[in-house]
Amino acid sequence: MPSYILEMRDITKTFPGVKALSNVNLKVEEGEIHAICGENGAGKSTLMKVLSGVYPSGDYEGQIIYRGQECHFRGIHDSEEKGIVIIHQELALVPMLSIAENIFLGNEHAKFGVIDWGANEKRTRALLKKVGLSEDPNTLITNIGTGKQQLVEIAKALSKEVELLILDEPTASLSEKDSQALLDLLLEFKREGITSIIISHKLNEINRVADHVTVIRDGRTIETLDRSEISEDRIITSMVGRSLEDRYPPRDPKIGEVFFEVKNWSVYHPLHADRQVIKNINLNVRKGEVVGIAGLMGAGRTEFAMSLFGRSYGRKITGEVELHGKPVDVSTVGKAVKQGLAYVTEDRKVFGLNLIEDIKNNITIANLKGVSTNGVINDLRELDVANEYRSKTNIRSPSVYQKTGNLSGGNQQKVVLSKWLFANPEVLILDEPTRGIDVGAKYEIYTIIARLAAEGRAIIVISSEMPELLGISDRIYVMNEGAIVGEMPASEASQEKIMRAIVRGEGKAA
Amino acid sequence: MSTDIAPNPQTGVATDIPAGTRVPVSSFVSNLREYGLILALIAIMVFFQLTTGTLFKPVNLSNLVQQNSFIIVMALGMLLVIVSGHIDLSVGSVAGFIGALAAMMMVIWPLGGFFANPLVVAILCLVVGGAIGAAQGYWIAYHRIPSFIVTLAGMLVFRGLCQGLLGGGSSVGPLPDSFKALSSGFLPEVLGTWVLIPPTVNAAGKTVFGSGITLNLTTLLLGIVAVLAYAISGLRARRTREKHGYEAEPFALFVVKTIVISALALFFVYQFAVYRGFPIVLVVMGILVAIFVFITRHTTIGRRVYAMGGNIKAAQLSGIKTERLTLLVFINMGVLSALGGLIIAARLGQAVPAAGLGSELDVIAAVFIGGASAMGGVGQVISTVVGGFIMGVMNNGMSIMGVNVDWQQVVKGLVLLGAVVFDVYNKNKG
Ligand SMILES: Nc1ncnc2c1ncn2[C@@H]1O[C@H](COP(=O)(O)OP(=O)(O)OP(=O)(O)O)[C@@H](O)[C@H]1O
Ligand SMILES: [Mg+2]
């Protein structure tokens, strides 16, 4: 008889118009790593918010039994007191404060309200060492990468004497290497007796670390799988209710002449005028071709894409963009859109969505012309469009009037994608298009990409998931430190070859 | 996963739209607050009617409109400023300055000829207002100086210019009657009057003021036409929705809502008709309100302002020219501040150095009582107008009750806080 550290019984949680959870059950054993899987909007994050007191007792039905005691958390302070710490899907660090300040925010070592920075710094150093960071505690959060920020979040959790650590999609925006480090850390914690609950759409990671997997579908517990039963296919079948034959849709690429070409593209850092971020990039995409850009986090791929798209990043931008062999002006976002460019951002909350508006208004905002005549919006046409794209990308919501801020992470991503699909671009640049998206929805997005390519558009996909790039692209560029360091047809590419190109590039740069 | 196949009502092509999802659930829910606000206004009016007995008197209603219309006119501009994520503290000073400018042009400076016409002066003043808005908006939009600071500077500058223009502490007037009509005039009785109950005639052969019922036909007719137009357009919007396969709000609810609003409107129309008809300024305000409702709800430019206020980075990356849009919002604010200034001057019959002093606070309060968010991206025209009237009715009612000005401020401040707290509380609960 295993001893359970946590039992959640018959948890039901409703939002206006949405039943996010209905009678969900979850049992977590002491000292294990317990994974929670499910499609976008299945209710995973909601369940964890119930557990951690984000939704206080009384806001939901059901029981939470922690260490044999029924708990009624009124807020996260209550749950933290018991050693339950949650790290949310979207990081909650203050960018302009230092690592140490962030770790002890609201929890500072202080005497009579005066902060003892010496003590804080010492503790921070110890905590950082534990999570494998060698950063100076005084470094500002904005100056470290996402992977390290995630580790700082964990260090912060450790500072609270954590017994049950909840991680909501911790590796969604991490590079392969950083993800590995994070998972190793979880295994290390497990040896120390800390129990973890991890939510992730990266099934290979779950496969690697989880002792149990609980699958949630449409707000209901489907089953809990044992270590021995865990396999990617098994999880998928349980998640989507059927087995998924292929991870990538079949394609029959008909590649035409060069359609979109970037020549000698150079960009400097917006703040440090002498730092060249993008170094003389040359790249082309043919009609009907899907081109992938591989690289590690921080290789400058997003910066490259954003600088192309209406100079939305950087300064002292030089170089040329050609469509159909003719130079075109893409110096503002408006002009770029008019030329048929679209850029689907990797950061949906900051750059992609107006979170206080509904799905409908977000989908049409980049192409209001398409739903209006002489500046007057045709409401019904707009509603039709919104509904059409909502079903095309399979956005899960009660209606298109749902505020995007209330959607699950993956569904938010689909709204951003819908927005740009409706703009009907000739050249579509997708930056991490499947970040935080479940396997089923990934397949749908790949299908959309394949369809757009088949229609003769040019597509650029930036992704840190190499299998994905290998699965959907026709040709792959490898980027490192702001420069293209390799190019290969997808048929000849492999993860090793891409990595080798990166390493070779690094050797050259040094 | 529900993937029922619903035929697309427009093209007849089957698209897989999940069943039961075409109900505009939130269109009513989002209007709930608006209705609540209207109810609050009515409750406040009834309260003052009961305590003073005069609030609903036709003459007082005309006064109420004439005293507060400038706040509502400026609040329309302020709504867009606040929705786009900014603030404008200069509107009171700009209004004062424009009033002074108009008075100088009409009374002191010998402009003569074409420029002696008050209408020409008014138009010139609106243009100057637009230029002032552009001058402030330029720094805010293109140099990213916080609007709070730019318009705080504007507030000082234009109050100073207003006083300077008027030559220190003096007031300039009297303004021509044709100009004063903007605030104190009524719609002419082109259709004549309709004597319902003849007024009593006293011993001296003069009619007793306020006796009998004589209706202004022009006003009555205009009012009825406006109400009918409202009801019919509501009905037609419903029809088209249904024709396109979208459910509208329940019919019973629609009928009740339309009848209640129409009845209320007709009640006020009647009150104006028995006095001297619609005040001109009410008509001006009504037209402006209609225009701004249309802009905010149905135009691309309105939609872009909301998008910009909601998330400026996402708006930029969607191809919205946020700088130009911000500039436009401030130009609009400048023009409306100028109009507000003209209305104030016309009501006083002269330009005074303190005209519009402190009115920026009433204007901003009206917008926030109307439920706009200080973070930008949220706010409705009708709610703002109702918010403005709530402020106005409280000013008017408390003055009639004889509450002194200090306490009026206290009450208004508490109402503002209460309204916003109510909003925030509701949002957290929702
Ligand atoms: N504050 C809210 N108001 C209304 N609905 C909400 C709110 N928060 C979540 N929902 C809804 O509850 C459902 C579950 O959302 P949740 O965020 O738990 O999904 P998830 O399983 O974490 O998905 P993802 O993998 O995309 O992160 C979704 O349908 C979502 O739209
Ligand atoms: Mg989630």
Side-chain angles (χ1 to χ4, degrees):
Chain A
M1 181 67 196
S3 74
Y4 293 113
I5 183 170
L6 170 78
E7 270 187 72
M8 296 181 82
R9 288 190 196 148
D10 290 327
I11 304 286
T12 298
K13 163 84 189 153
T14 44
F15 295 109
V18 190
K19 195 165 195 177
L21 299 173
S22 68
N23 296 316
V24 170
N25 289 293
L26 176 71
K27 286 185 183 181
V28 180
E29 282 176 27
E30 177 96 52
E32 71 160 332
I33 298 180
H34 195 112
I36 298 181
C37 289
E39 293 177 295
N40 296 127
K44 306 177 296 292
S45 298
T46 306
L47 185 66
M48 291 304 108
K49 285 179 186 166
V50 166
L51 171 57
S52 57
V54 174
Y55 300 131
S57 166
D59 251 23
Y60 58 89
E61 289 151 43
Q63 290 175 302
I64 298 176
I65 294 157
Y66 183 70
R67 292 200 182 288
Q69 243 182 347
E70 180 164 359
C71 298
H72 299 277
F73 300 131
R74 277 158 306 162
I76 44 174
H77 256 285
D78 286 3
S79 61
E80 278 179 2
E81 218 152 76
K82 299 246 176 187
I84 303 176
V85 180
I86 183 166
I87 299 177
H88 289 286
Q89 197 162 356
E90 324 291 338
L91 294 182
L93 296 171
V94 185
M96 293 315 280
L97 291 184
S98 72
I99 295 177
E101 283 168 315
N102 266 288
I103 287 183
F104 290 104
L105 197 61
N107 228 343
E108 294 90 351
H109 287 268
K111 274 205 187 94
F112 311 114
V114 179
I115 298 175
D116 179 354
W117 281 119
N120 278 338
E121 223 182 287
K122 225 171 102 203
R123 283 249 20 225
T124 305
R125 264 182 224 286
L127 289 167
L128 290 182
K129 196 163 158 239
K130 217 163 168 188
V131 298
L133 275 179
S134 54
E135 247 64 22
D136 180 349
N138 294 317
T139 317
L140 296 189
I141 289 294
T142 63
N143 294 337
I144 62 177
T146 333
K148 290 181 176 168
Q149 290 182 11
Q150 191 66 258
L151 293 176
V152 171
E153 279 272 16
I154 294 177
K156 186 173 174 179
L158 291 179
S159 79
K160 292 171 187 160
E161 312 292 333
V162 58
E163 291 176 11
L164 175 60
L165 181 63
I166 306 167
L167 302 121
D168 194 349
E169 299 195 32
T171 58
S173 44
L174 297 196
S175 69
E176 203 111 339
K177 212 170 103 210
D178 288 342
S179 301
Q180 294 304 330
L182 190 138
L183 295 177
D184 287 340
L185 197 61
L186 283 192
L187 291 170
E188 168 72 32
F189 287 169
K190 181 176 155 184
R191 277 191 287 279
E192 291 173 17
I194 298 176
T195 315
S196 311
I197 298 179
I198 178 170
I199 297 177
S200 177
H201 290 293
K202 297 186 176 171
L203 301 181
N204 55 341
E205 296 178 351
I206 287 180
N207 204 2
R208 197 180 134 211
V209 300
D211 298 303
H212 286 96
V213 178
T214 295
V215 177
I216 297 180
R217 192 198 312 155
D218 290 335
R220 289 191 177 78
T221 333
I222 300 300
E223 58 183 339
T224 297
L225 301 172
D226 224 12
R227 175 72 246 170
S228 58
E229 296 172 289
I230 296 175
S231 75
E232 291 188 35
D233 286 337
R234 183 74 183 78
I235 298 175
I236 292 172
T237 311
S238 181
M239 265 171 70
V240 297
R242 61 194 154 85
S243 65
L244 213 59
E245 302 300 324
D246 294 300
R247 294 284 184 88
Y248 304 99
R251 279 189 61 209
D252 175 22
K254 292 197 179 49
I255 295 172
E257 76 278 19
V258 171
F259 182 70
F260 176 72
E261 185 152 22
V262 180
K263 290 182 174 164
N264 301 321
W265 199 256
S266 288
V267 180
Y268 284 80
H269 195 276
L271 300 177
H272 311 285
D274 52 343
R275 215 166 95 198
Q276 191 171 2
V277 185
I278 300 299
K279 298 159 191 159
N280 225 21
I281 285 191
N282 288 288
L283 162 154
N284 65 58
V285 191
R286 292 160 188 278
K287 239 176 143 61
E289 187 181 34
V290 180
V291 164
I293 304 183
L296 303 177
M297 292 274 160
R301 294 168 300 171
T302 295
E303 288 78 2
F304 169 59
M306 283 182 72
S307 66
L308 268 184
F309 190 60
R311 315 211 159 164
S312 303
Y313 172 88
R315 58 171 169 181
K316 284 205 285 179
I317 297 172
T318 52
E320 249 167 59
V321 176
E322 289 182 2
L323 268 175
H324 293 296
K326 278 189 230 80
V328 289
D329 179 8
V330 291
S331 58
T332 67
V333 174
K335 285 176 187 164
V337 173
K338 212 170 271 159
Q339 297 292 349
L341 255 65
Y343 168 69
V344 180
T345 171
E346 63 170 344
D347 194 338
R348 53 194 172 232
K349 291 217 160 161
V350 176
F351 292 116
L353 292 172
N354 179 358
L355 294 169
I356 58 178
E357 281 285 3
D358 59 19
I359 296 174
K360 172 175 72 78
N361 288 4
N362 272 288
I363 288 182
T364 56
I365 193 66
N367 185 14
L368 281 176
K369 282 214 176 73
V371 290
S372 62
T373 23
N374 301 326
V376 179
I377 295 174
N378 180 337
D379 293 342
L380 288 169
R381 173 140 175 59
E382 186 181 30
L383 204 50
D384 282 340
V385 163
N387 273 313
E388 181 191 333
Y389 282 87
R390 170 164 166 267
S391 63
K392 256 188 196 164
T393 53
N394 202 5
I395 298 167
R396 302 278 189 93
S397 67
S399 78
V400 292
Y401 292 102
Q402 184 81 336
K403 260 199 214 170
T404 52
N406 291 344
L407 293 177
S408 76
N411 282 308
Q412 289 178 340
Q413 182 71 25
K414 296 182 203 168
V415 176
V416 183
L417 187 63
S418 297
K419 165 164 101 173
W420 288 110
L421 290 182
F422 177 54
N424 198 18
E426 299 281 344
V427 180
L428 182 62
I429 306 172
L430 299 150
D431 197 350
E432 306 285 359
T434 62
R435 168 176 296 175
I437 285 204
D438 69 57
V439 272
K442 269 183 189 166
Y443 188 86
E444 285 156 17
I445 286 176
Y446 300 148
T447 311
I448 291 169
I449 292 174
R451 200 191 68 225
L452 292 172
E455 286 169 12
R457 292 165 220 253
I459 297 178
I460 298 175
V461 179
I462 297 171
S463 174
S464 301
E465 282 186 52
M466 284 194 225
E468 167 173 292
L469 276 186
L470 295 169
I472 60 173
S473 8
D474 300 310
R475 193 153 52 93
I476 294 176
Y477 286 99
V478 184
M479 234 177 114
N480 193 38
E481 293 181 356
I484 300 269
V485 294
E487 181 192 343
M488 56 195 89
S491 52
E492 294 169 20
S494 66
Q495 299 210 23
E496 293 74 47
K497 256 183 115 172
I498 292 173
M499 281 316 292
R500 232 177 293 135
I502 292 173
V503 174
R504 226 183 311 121
E506 244 155 29
K508 235 185 280 168
Chain B
M1 217 197 292
S2 58
T3 44
D4 309 31
I5 307 293
N8 184 322
Q10 265 189 323
T11 56
V13 178
T15 48
D16 57 337
I17 290 162
T21 52
R22 302 189 128 200
V23 195
V25 210
S26 72
S27 68
F28 176 70
V29 177
S30 71
N31 288 337
L32 218 53
R33 186 182 189 286
E34 217 163 81
Y35 301 145
L37 206 61
I38 293 176
L39 284 183
L41 174 60
I42 293 172
I44 293 175
M45 290 182 89
V46 168
F47 169 77
F48 282 120
Q49 172 66 21
L50 293 180
T51 48
T52 66
T54 51
L55 190 94
F56 281 116
K57 282 233 174 95
V59 52
N60 189 53
L61 282 181
S62 290
N63 271 339
L64 192 112
V65 166
Q66 287 167 337
Q67 282 164 8
N68 293 293
S69 50
F70 76 96
I71 300 230
I72 289 174
V73 165
M74 294 200 281
L76 293 174
M78 190 64 80
L79 172 70
L80 292 192
V81 168
I82 288 176
V83 164
S84 59
H86 293 285
I87 193 83
D88 190 339
L89 300 175
S90 72
V91 295
S93 297
V94 172
F97 170 72
I98 294 289
L101 184 68
M104 295 304 285
M105 283 203 268
M106 286 185 286
V107 180
I108 307 284
W109 296 332
L111 288 173
F114 187 57
F115 291 101
N117 184 342
L119 190 64
V120 175
V121 170
I123 291 173
L124 268 179
C125 284
L126 295 184
V127 171
V128 173
I132 292 173
Q136 299 194 76
Y138 168 76
W139 296 107
I140 297 162
Y142 293 94
H143 295 272
R144 300 184 199 251
I145 317 276
S147 54
F148 187 93
I149 292 167
V150 173
T151 60
L152 182 61
M155 179 177 167
L156 298 171
V157 166
F158 291 105
R159 180 58 58 194
L161 287 178
C162 167
Q163 289 164 351
L165 206 54
L166 295 176
S170 56
S171 53
V172 169
L175 298 173
D177 285 342
S178 58
F179 180 76
K180 283 197 287 192
L182 171 62
S183 272
S184 46
F186 292 85
L187 275 194
E189 302 176 354
V190 276
L191 298 176
T193 55
W194 178 22
V195 182
L196 220 54
I197 300 171
T200 22
V201 180
N202 66 11
K206 289 197 167 169
T207 54
V208 177
F209 181 75
S211 67
I213 299 180
T214 309
L215 291 172
N216 179 321
L217 278 183
T218 321
T219 291
L220 200 60
L221 203 70
L222 266 181
I224 291 175
V225 167
V227 169
L228 276 181
Y230 162 75
I232 291 174
S233 77
L235 208 58
R236 277 185 41 188
R238 255 187 90 80
R239 282 267 170 73
T240 23
R241 274 190 88 82
E242 282 172 348
K243 231 173 45 206
H244 284 248
Y246 294 105
E247 270 177 57
E249 61 193 337
F251 189 65
L253 184 76
F254 169 76
V255 170
V256 170
K257 189 186 88 184
T258 308
I259 288 179
V260 168
I261 291 182
S262 303
L264 271 175
L266 286 175
F267 169 74
F268 287 111
V269 168
Y270 175 79
Q271 296 292 334
F272 285 116
V274 293
Y275 184 53
R276 295 172 60 186
F278 283 139
I280 288 177
V281 69
L282 178 69
V283 177
V284 170
M285 196 178 84
I287 293 173
L288 280 175
V289 169
I291 291 175
F292 276 84
V293 166
F294 183 76
I295 291 178
T296 52
R297 292 220 183 130
H298 298 292
T299 65
T300 52
I301 194 163
R303 181 65 65 77
R304 290 188 180 121
V305 172
Y306 283 81
M308 175 168 80
N311 181 349
I312 188 162
K313 287 178 188 160
Q316 281 165 346
L317 273 178
S318 300
I320 294 174
K321 298 189 181 94
T322 52
E323 283 109 357
R324 214 180 62 179
L325 200 56
T326 306
L327 183 67
L328 272 180
V329 164
F330 275 92
I331 292 177
N332 176 61
M333 182 76 256
V335 173
L336 290 175
S337 306
L339 182 57
L342 294 178
I343 293 173
I344 298 172
R347 185 162 62 86
L348 300 176
Q350 57 181 358
V352 297
L357 193 66
S359 63
E360 58 277 343
L361 301 180
D362 280 345
V363 171
I364 294 169
V367 176
F368 284 131
I369 290 178
S373 155
M375 314 281 290
V378 178
Q380 291 295 327
V381 172
I382 296 291
S383 306
T384 299
V385 172
V386 175
F389 271 117
I390 287 179
M391 297 292 285
V393 169
M394 288 195 307
N395 279 336
N396 181 279
M398 288 192 290
S399 301
I400 298 174
M401 275 172 77
V403 177
N404 86 27
V405 183
D406 312 338
W407 283 106
Q408 288 191 18
Q409 302 243 20
V410 173
V411 173
K412 284 195 292 185
L414 292 177
V415 167
L416 170 63
L417 184 65
V420 176
V421 168
F422 176 79
D423 260 2
V424 170
Y425 175 77
N426 260 357
K427 205 177 288 161
N428 289 346
K429 234 180 62 183

